[in-house]
Amino acid sequence: MASTKYIFVTGGVTSSLGKGIIASSLGNLLMARGYRVTIQKFDPYINIDPGTLNPYEHGECYVTDDGAETDLDLGHYERFLNVRTSQANNVTTGRIYHNVITKERRGDYLGKTVQVIPHITDEIKRNFYRLGETGDYDIVITEIGGCVGDIESLPFIEAVRQAKWDLGESNFLVIHLTLIPYLAAAKELKTKPTQHSVKQLLEAGIQPDILVCRSEKPLPSEIRRKLSLFCNVQLNSVIEALDAETIYDVPLMMRKEKLDERVLTKLKLAHKEPPHIDEWRTFLSKLKNPTNEVNIGLVGKYVELPDAYKSIAEAFIHAGAHLECKVNIHWISSETITEKSVKRTLSDLHGVLVAPGFGERGIEGKIEAIRYVRENNIPFFGICLGMQCAVVEFARNVLGFEDAASSEMDKETKHPVIDLMEDQKKITDYGGTMRLGSYECKLKKSSKAYQAYKTSTIHERHRHRYEFNNKYLEQMEAAGLKATGINPKSGLVEIVELDNHPYFVGSQFHPELKSTVMNPHPLFVSFIDAIIQNKKN
């Protein structure tokens, strides 16, 4: 265990300061120096995973290759580090207690009284060390969700305190992310919230090694000295984290502040070589100096909270930068789209993406949007439910099945063009029971998807229950909606495309989940490229 170094990232003062971005940026810099790094997130809520949470509660649910439904921060980890995560990278209070109670029922504790200390904290630590014990990583970064002082976080903070004694000082480091607010009336930056936050950590027995201070104004040297003195942290370990133009600036900002060097020094690791970040700089240069600009409508029902579609928004950034094109996303609530409003809402856009989701709210607006873009040759991309809506729209307005629907929305429809898989029909629990994770797909060589991927076999991540109903496949294809991607084992339709259209592609899987800075997703690249070409014409 001691051969792996462990970094813990805690947060204070307020949530949403960006622990995930700081952890990802640090991981990025350490990997750029040649170290093998992974990041994990420990969430204090009692849900087993975020799979059953409303997106308004917690943003999008991110799915890994192994089918784990996880926190959206794992998306940041993958996008910044370009490495795959798994179930082991996201652990909740619910999972910890579930594991401990299962062991207790099995008799593993030999009749002892099961308590928070040591049983819950031991289970937390077992999960802290799990990835490090594989031998695959030199450094494991662990982000502790929530704020220091939250009642839910107490067992995790206590487990971090204990971990220091398990691991030894040179294998253990705590970074505390905090806020230095600026009071406009007084024209002053205030350190008191940070002092109180660190005091709470000290009361829990943890001395932070490095302070990362979020601020909208630069930290003067006297503020840094004050933080160093009052928080018992070395002066050069007080790190400034200013508001950034884009989250992808943060690794370079942390490099400038020498966060990676401070970490390596404290962990007694060699500064093998300066980080190789030229590719990252190139990406940023393309991102900030586009030669094209497009307006894309994202039609969904959670648009009031863009984090509900976080991976889609980031995939547009990656693909846009790759093509040196600025992508302006217009967030459109599907509930506002009607036959009367659709032209006014969509006519000025260069392309439309219809987003994933569950349930019937806003479904007719999505179908109306797809009818409009299909009939008016506006490039279209549908993901998961967006693809299913495209199938329903085509069945209604081209095949003439007026009551065509997904059986999720209308159990009485005579034409369930989207229907439950047989093995899903008897399931009553919602958590973790969908088709989840990575599945194989075979592409037809004549398809736009094949042109995008440049290979006939792909693996993509899924999160859904309902599928294209193959009883209607022959009629659909005869009328022009082709199944161009098929799961070779089940025969299930994964991709549909429309003939004679600038770009009309729907995928049952979630391509956005595999887009990273260094590997923008082929379908997003091909969608934006088609929009650029269509705009020229």
Side-chain angles (χ1 to χ4, degrees):
M1 195 159 60
S3 60
T4 302
K5 308 285 186 175
Y6 291 84
I7 299 168
F8 294 90
V9 180
T10 60
V13 183
T14 178
S15 58
S16 303
L17 286 181
K19 290 192 299 292
I21 302 300
I22 292 296
S24 300
S25 298
L26 174 60
N28 177 296
L29 292 171
L30 295 173
M31 284 189 75
R33 287 178 176 273
Y35 289 101
R36 299 172 302 158
V37 182
T38 191
I39 312 179
Q40 53 191 1
K41 174 84 181 281
F42 281 67
D43 271 311
Y45 52 76
I46 295 173
N47 305 64
I48 294 286
D49 58 42
T52 56
L53 286 173
N54 184 314
Y56 285 131
E57 289 279 329
H58 211 68
E60 78 172 359
C61 175
Y62 189 80
V63 179
T64 56
D65 279 344
D66 64 349
E69 294 176 287
T70 72
D71 184 81
L72 63 80
D73 271 323
L74 270 72
H76 291 312
Y77 305 162
E78 291 202 5
R79 289 188 281 272
F80 276 67
L81 272 62
N82 205 36
V83 296
R84 297 297 171 218
T85 55
S86 70
Q87 179 66 77
N89 293 78
N90 191 200
V91 180
T92 67
T93 291
R95 192 172 294 281
I96 294 293
Y97 274 83
H98 180 268
N99 292 349
V100 169
I101 290 167
T102 300
K103 288 177 183 176
E104 185 273 329
R105 293 287 84 187
R106 212 166 48 211
D108 291 10
Y109 298 119
L110 303 175
K112 286 192 177 297
T113 303
V114 178
Q115 296 176 290
V116 173
I117 302 171
H119 301 99
I120 296 297
T121 49
D122 281 354
E123 181 65 18
I124 293 170
K125 288 192 294 177
R126 187 180 72 79
N127 283 274
F128 281 170
Y129 307 145
R130 198 163 139 201
L131 287 166
E133 287 168 347
T134 63
D136 294 335
Y137 305 103
D138 303 310
I139 300 167
V140 176
I141 301 173
T142 302
E143 178 190 345
I144 306 294
C147 269
V148 171
D150 291 350
I151 194 166
E152 298 97 334
S153 299
L154 290 174
F156 293 98
I157 297 298
E158 169 60 20
V160 172
R161 183 193 70 79
Q162 294 178 22
K164 180 176 182 178
W165 304 108
D166 293 348
L167 298 165
E169 283 202 22
S170 62
N171 300 313
F172 169 96
L173 183 142
V174 173
I175 296 172
H176 189 56
L177 180 64
T178 182
L179 177 69
I180 308 292
Y182 178 74
L183 298 187
K187 294 184 170 53
E188 274 188 308
L189 288 164
K190 289 294 184 182
T191 65
K192 192 62 74 178
T194 294
Q195 292 178 45
H196 281 297
S197 177
V198 172
K199 185 181 176 185
Q200 283 189 299
L201 259 187
L202 289 168
E203 284 174 359
I206 296 172
Q207 167 64 57
D209 299 285
I210 295 172
L211 280 183
V212 176
C213 303
R214 279 297 307 274
S215 177
E216 56 187 277
K217 303 277 186 182
L219 300 183
S221 55
E222 63 268 22
I223 290 282
R224 295 199 194 218
R225 281 196 297 272
K226 188 175 182 180
L227 287 165
S228 171
L229 180 65
F230 281 87
C231 299
N232 206 27
V233 172
Q234 288 177 323
L235 182 59
N236 61 2
S237 292
V238 177
I239 304 292
E240 174 187 274
L242 292 172
D243 294 349
E245 182 185 342
T246 163
I247 58 172
Y248 299 110
D249 279 329
V250 179
L252 300 187
M253 292 165 69
M254 292 302 98
R255 173 71 192 120
K256 186 180 176 186
E257 284 287 298
K258 300 185 178 178
L259 174 62
D260 53 329
E261 290 183 26
R262 296 305 303 148
V263 165
L264 293 171
T265 299
K266 286 179 177 292
L267 291 175
K268 296 184 167 54
L269 286 170
H271 300 192
K272 288 185 179 179
E273 49 193 271
H276 296 292
I277 48 179
D278 290 344
E279 278 187 84
W280 198 269
R281 291 185 197 278
T282 301
F283 159 76
L284 276 172
S285 176
K286 287 182 174 182
L287 179 65
K288 293 181 179 185
N289 299 285
T291 56
N292 263 304
E293 186 169 352
V294 297
N295 295 309
I296 296 177
L298 190 153
V299 178
K301 67 176 185 177
Y302 305 114
V303 293
E304 293 88 347
L305 182 74
D307 269 5
Y309 305 109
K310 189 66 178 173
S311 291
I312 293 174
E314 299 307 313
F316 274 133
I317 290 172
H318 307 153
H322 180 76
L323 295 167
E324 297 181 54
C325 177
K326 182 181 181 184
V327 177
N328 300 311
I329 300 176
H330 297 257
W331 304 89
I332 301 166
S333 170
S334 56
E335 292 182 271
T336 66
I337 297 178
T338 63
E339 191 176 346
K340 288 182 179 177
S341 71
V342 67
K343 182 178 180 181
R344 182 178 70 250
T345 308
L346 303 182
S347 60
D348 292 337
L349 297 170
H350 302 121
V352 170
L353 182 145
V354 175
F358 293 92
E360 62 183 309
R361 183 168 65 84
I363 203 81
E364 293 303 322
K366 290 183 175 183
I367 291 169
E368 191 58 46
I370 293 166
R371 181 194 63 77
Y372 182 82
V373 298
R374 178 180 60 78
E375 292 177 352
N376 290 278
N377 288 325
I378 296 171
F380 162 78
F381 188 13
I383 296 176
C384 199
L385 183 61
M387 171 266 207
Q388 295 178 358
C389 288
V391 172
V392 171
E393 189 279 326
F394 193 84
R396 287 182 187 178
N397 299 317
V398 178
L399 296 182
F401 302 146
E402 289 183 11
D403 78 328
S406 164
S407 59
E408 179 186 5
M409 316 307 167
D410 180 2
K411 288 183 169 53
E412 306 303 319
T413 177
K414 291 178 184 174
H415 295 288
V417 291
I418 303 293
D419 201 6
L420 267 183
M421 298 176 284
E422 283 302 317
D423 61 353
Q424 289 282 331
K425 287 184 177 176
K426 294 177 183 175
I427 289 173
T428 54
D429 282 357
Y430 284 117
T433 57
M434 292 179 278
R435 184 147 79 105
L436 290 162
S438 185
Y439 287 85
E440 186 180 347
C441 173
K442 292 281 187 188
L443 303 179
K444 293 184 178 174
K445 292 197 174 178
S446 58
S447 66
K448 284 187 170 68
Y450 181 84
Q451 290 168 20
Y453 283 98
K454 297 180 175 57
T455 181
S456 57
T457 301
I458 60 169
H459 293 82
E460 291 285 1
R461 299 178 191 176
H462 295 67
R463 184 177 183 250
H464 61 98
R465 267 191 193 85
Y466 291 77
E467 301 280 357
F468 183 104
N469 188 340
N470 280 338
K471 291 176 187 174
Y472 294 89
L473 181 57
E474 199 173 313
Q475 290 164 281
M476 295 268 185
E477 293 207 313
L481 189 70
K482 302 292 173 64
T484 59
I486 303 286
N487 181 303
K489 290 183 181 174
S490 63
L492 293 168
V493 173
E494 298 278 16
I495 302 175
V496 295
E497 297 184 19
L498 189 63
D499 286 344
N500 305 316
H501 194 279
Y503 193 92
F504 193 100
V505 175
S507 71
Q508 182 58 79
F509 51 80
H510 289 260
E512 73 275 16
L513 299 178
K514 289 183 77 170
S515 184
T516 71
V517 169
M518 292 299 122
N519 288 297
H521 196 280
L523 286 182
F524 279 86
V525 173
S526 67
F527 178 45
I528 294 171
D529 191 45
I531 291 171
I532 293 168
Q533 300 312 317
N534 196 55
K535 189 181 165 193
K536 285 178 184 173
N537 297 334

